[in-house]
Amino acid sequence: MDTTKLVILETSDLHGSIYPVSYADQSCRDVGLGKAATLIRREQAAGNQILLIDDGDLIQGTPLLYHYVKCDHKRPNPMVLLENRLGYDGAVIGNHDFNFGRAVLEKTIRNSDFPWLSANIVSSETGQPYFGRPYLIKEFANGVRVAVLGLTTRYIPVWEKPENILGMRFDDPVATARRWIPRLKNEGRADVVVVAYHGGFERDPDSGEATETPDGENEGYRICTDVPGVDVLLTGHQHRRISGKIIHGVTIVQPGVNGKYLGKVVVDLASKGERWQITGKRSGLLSVSGVPADRQLLRLTDPYEADTEAWLNRPLGRIEGDMRVTDPMDVRTRDHPLIEFINWLQMKVSGVDISLTALFDNASPGLPEHVTMRDIMANYIYPNTLKVIRISGRDMRAALERSASYFMLLNGKVTVSPSFTTPKPQHYNYDMWEGIHYIMDISKPVGSRIVKLEYHGAPVTPDGRYDVVMNNYRSGGGGDYQMFRGRPVIKDIPVDVAEIMADAFEKQKVIQARTNHNWKLVYGPYHRKGTD
């Protein structure tokens, strides 16, 4: 009996990360496709049958990709240049791959030497896969046939700008897989069936305990338990590191974020007549820590990197005062000049007097005295635009309660609720508001923590109407802010917030760091943050 081995390699959520650097301060980091490429080359050189898949969120997330889209889009997408050279077999469409608009995504697909897959993103008119390729089948020289079905989180319409997904419908990935898997096994004669899903797990892979509300964002566990015939499930989206686990006979893997790890699944097969039968499966993660980047490969994108660095180093203006971030928790528990500045800008460009924003990441350094484009991009890391929506006072209170649930008290100390850190950090879902006065008492139960809420010196009324500016992600209800979903859009401002920030410095040259202490966090009668 002949035997053979199939090695499946997965990258996911690279988010435009190519070089092993931090763009905020140019320090070295163990990240990027350049390092992952070295591991991929080693696996390819080992003589095994290789299937190489990218699981989505490829083309957004670093200043390099932002600069490419905004200033340099005539050249091919740099991520595609590298994945073409590495010989990727396919890629899955992720939610962030829509962020720069349909034209950028469609050009990326055209320039790829491999198919982009998503069986559940379909035409709203015909019901057929919108991007044409729901799956791929790869046949190796010894006759082993591997099918890969691509699926994408169906939650995208909650987050994405409507114009970026016009004409698309996002179907249930579980039901979609049930329809396609028998076809891949029978008509496609697949010996190994792989589902590559840009989504994660709604239940703990070990215990099966629910870890998320069943809203459809992550449905990997259901794919394993409710879809017969799946051998391997490649996942992403949650930025988790998962390997060495099997759910209902399905081997699973998820390789984290930014190319820190390469997912690897080994499938052992033995011949059985004209077909091959799986005799064993196992998954693991290969770390890029200490691995040198593939310099020969990176020569393809070095010109992009040089242009990006020159753009990032461009001086913009100066700050009087201090907008640096030294303690992310301090920023989120008392009024901070960086947040005040962003909210002030949003109000200025929108013409309304209520705004909200977030400190997106704990790695945000804030703004130094002399500000460059690098400093802007280090803090505002998403290509968000702004919308003004009209909400009720009831909506406002519900949104503030959602933000107040970010905190918990542990032995008298303010800390972050696990619901905002596990299984994926979601610090970007805690908002701070300007234009209203409010107090959060986090010693009270979740849902009843807003103990003061005023607008122009008067209490906010449940049925009152208020125009509020926020980024497009939040205005669509992203981050479980469902109270904003479907509210009237009063104004759409189609300029990236990072560009608005840069423009403010270039025009004003000097910006004052200031706060007005319009909100306060308290926890009990004696412990307070901020001032009235």
Side-chain angles (χ1 to χ4, degrees):
M1 178 183 294
D2 290 337
T3 61
T4 191
K5 182 165 64 175
L6 167 69
V7 175
I8 304 168
L9 302 177
E10 178 203 13
T11 53
S12 187
D13 299 271
L14 286 169
H15 284 288
S17 184
I18 295 175
Y19 291 85
V21 298
S22 165
Y23 285 99
D25 59 10
Q26 297 179 294
S27 61
C28 295
R29 297 181 63 206
D30 283 316
V31 298
L33 185 54
K35 280 177 168 276
T38 300
L39 297 176
I40 292 169
R41 298 285 203 201
R42 290 176 185 173
E43 294 290 334
Q44 291 171 329
N48 295 312
Q49 298 174 126
I50 300 290
L51 178 73
L52 179 56
I53 300 293
D54 187 279
D55 203 46
D57 279 5
L58 177 67
I59 60 172
Q60 175 276 334
T62 58
L64 191 157
L65 267 293
Y66 185 94
H67 176 264
Y68 162 74
V69 169
K70 298 298 180 179
C71 309
D72 188 28
H73 52 83
K74 291 184 178 180
R75 290 188 283 191
N77 191 296
M79 301 302 293
V80 165
L81 273 184
L82 301 184
E83 292 202 347
N84 283 346
R85 181 62 62 88
L86 286 167
Y88 272 73
D89 293 297
V92 177
I93 296 170
N95 53 295
H96 282 288
D97 294 319
F98 289 98
N99 286 173
F100 288 124
R102 189 185 334 213
V104 172
L105 176 56
E106 290 177 348
K107 179 185 177 184
T108 299
I109 293 172
R110 288 195 305 272
N111 289 338
S112 301
D113 295 340
F114 48 85
W116 285 67
L117 312 174
S118 187
N120 68 309
I121 302 178
V122 301
S123 166
S124 54
E125 293 183 0
T126 67
Q128 296 300 307
Y130 189 90
F131 294 96
R133 291 292 298 271
Y135 67 89
L136 66 86
I137 293 180
K138 182 173 183 177
E139 182 170 357
F140 293 91
N142 61 1
V144 171
R145 292 174 63 84
V146 184
V148 181
L149 179 70
L151 298 170
T152 303
T153 174
R154 58 170 158 158
Y155 214 59
I156 288 175
V158 174
W159 306 310
E160 193 50 71
K161 301 174 189 175
E163 61 267 28
N164 290 350
I165 55 174
L166 191 66
M168 302 178 201
R169 190 179 76 221
F170 294 79
D171 286 349
D172 181 342
V174 178
T176 301
R178 284 199 201 105
R179 289 197 306 272
W180 283 102
I181 296 300
R183 180 171 172 178
L184 299 181
K185 293 183 75 71
N186 298 324
E187 297 174 31
R189 298 182 297 107
D191 302 301
V192 181
V193 173
V194 178
V195 171
Y197 170 49
H198 188 80
F201 295 97
E202 72 282 27
R203 293 181 176 273
D204 183 272
D206 292 316
S207 68
E209 295 281 335
T211 55
E212 298 186 1
T213 56
D215 54 16
E217 179 179 353
N218 298 295
E219 298 173 282
Y221 201 92
R222 283 187 62 215
I223 292 172
C224 293
T225 58
D226 295 4
V227 183
V230 180
D231 299 310
V232 175
L233 177 64
L234 310 179
T235 62
H237 183 59
Q238 291 175 312
H239 300 179
R240 299 167 69 182
R241 300 191 300 273
I242 302 173
S243 66
K245 301 182 185 301
I246 294 176
I247 300 175
H248 206 68
V250 180
T251 299
I252 65 172
V253 70
Q254 188 173 146
V257 64
N258 296 140
K260 296 177 183 178
Y261 291 84
L262 178 68
K264 180 180 179 180
V265 178
V266 178
V267 182
D268 299 315
L269 299 118
S271 62
K272 186 178 181 181
E274 296 182 355
R275 303 288 293 271
W276 291 85
Q277 184 175 5
I278 296 174
T279 58
K281 298 179 293 179
R282 53 202 177 274
S283 65
L285 296 174
L286 305 179
S287 172
V288 305
S289 179
V291 174
D294 186 334
R295 281 302 317 158
Q296 182 178 2
L297 179 74
L298 293 184
R299 290 193 186 101
L300 293 172
T301 54
D302 281 348
Y304 296 76
E305 178 74 352
D307 291 345
T308 300
E309 287 292 337
W311 174 73
L312 287 171
N313 289 331
R314 180 165 57 95
L316 298 174
R318 185 170 64 85
I319 292 172
E320 286 189 354
D322 189 357
M323 284 194 197
R324 292 170 297 178
V325 173
T326 56
D327 180 355
M329 182 61 89
D330 188 62
V331 175
R332 298 187 180 104
T333 56
R334 70 175 75 230
D335 212 358
H336 190 276
L338 175 67
I339 302 302
E340 185 112 344
F341 169 59
I342 296 172
N343 273 325
W344 170 75
L345 277 182
Q346 292 183 171
M347 292 189 293
K348 183 177 180 180
V349 299
S350 66
V352 301
D353 62 357
I354 307 177
S355 174
L356 61 90
T357 192
L359 182 70
F360 292 133
D361 192 281
N362 283 348
S364 296
L367 296 175
E369 178 183 359
H370 297 283
V371 178
T372 65
M373 196 69 204
R374 183 185 305 279
D375 301 312
I376 300 292
M377 299 302 298
N379 289 278
Y380 211 99
I381 58 178
Y382 299 109
N384 290 330
T385 58
L386 297 175
K387 287 189 178 182
V388 176
I389 63 172
R390 182 161 292 163
I391 66 173
S392 69
R394 189 175 293 104
D395 296 331
M396 184 186 294
R397 181 174 291 273
L400 286 164
E401 291 287 2
R402 162 67 178 150
S403 283
S405 71
Y406 176 82
F407 300 105
M408 64 180 291
L409 287 175
L410 186 63
N411 299 323
K413 182 180 179 182
V414 181
T415 186
V416 181
S417 167
S419 64
F420 284 80
T421 61
T422 307
K424 173 184 176 179
Q426 298 179 48
H427 302 294
Y428 50 82
N429 283 330
Y430 167 71
D431 292 326
M432 290 156 280
W433 293 57
E434 188 60 46
I436 58 174
H437 283 77
Y438 61 100
I439 297 177
M440 295 181 287
D441 185 348
I442 64 170
S443 67
K444 294 185 177 295
V446 169
S448 58
R449 291 178 163 181
I450 304 304
V451 296
K452 176 182 178 181
L453 178 55
E454 294 180 348
Y455 173 63
H456 289 180
V460 169
T461 60
D463 295 324
R465 292 292 179 263
Y466 305 88
D467 292 348
V468 185
V469 60
M470 62 191 74
N471 66 51
N472 62 285
Y473 170 78
R474 187 69 80 239
S475 69
D480 202 23
Y481 284 81
Q482 298 184 19
M483 69 293 296
F484 294 151
R485 196 177 304 174
R487 296 299 181 260
V489 176
I490 305 305
K491 186 180 294 186
D492 190 351
I493 303 159
V495 182
D496 289 1
V497 177
E499 294 180 36
I500 293 172
M501 293 172 68
D503 185 63
F505 277 102
E506 289 190 311
K507 286 181 177 177
Q508 294 182 231
K509 299 304 179 185
V510 178
I511 289 178
Q512 302 286 332
R514 65 184 71 178
T515 56
N516 62 2
H517 305 295
N518 67 297
W519 64 273
K520 178 167 54 179
L521 181 148
V522 303
Y523 42 105
Y526 304 111
H527 299 80
R528 294 171 178 264
K529 290 280 187 177
T531 59
D532 286 321

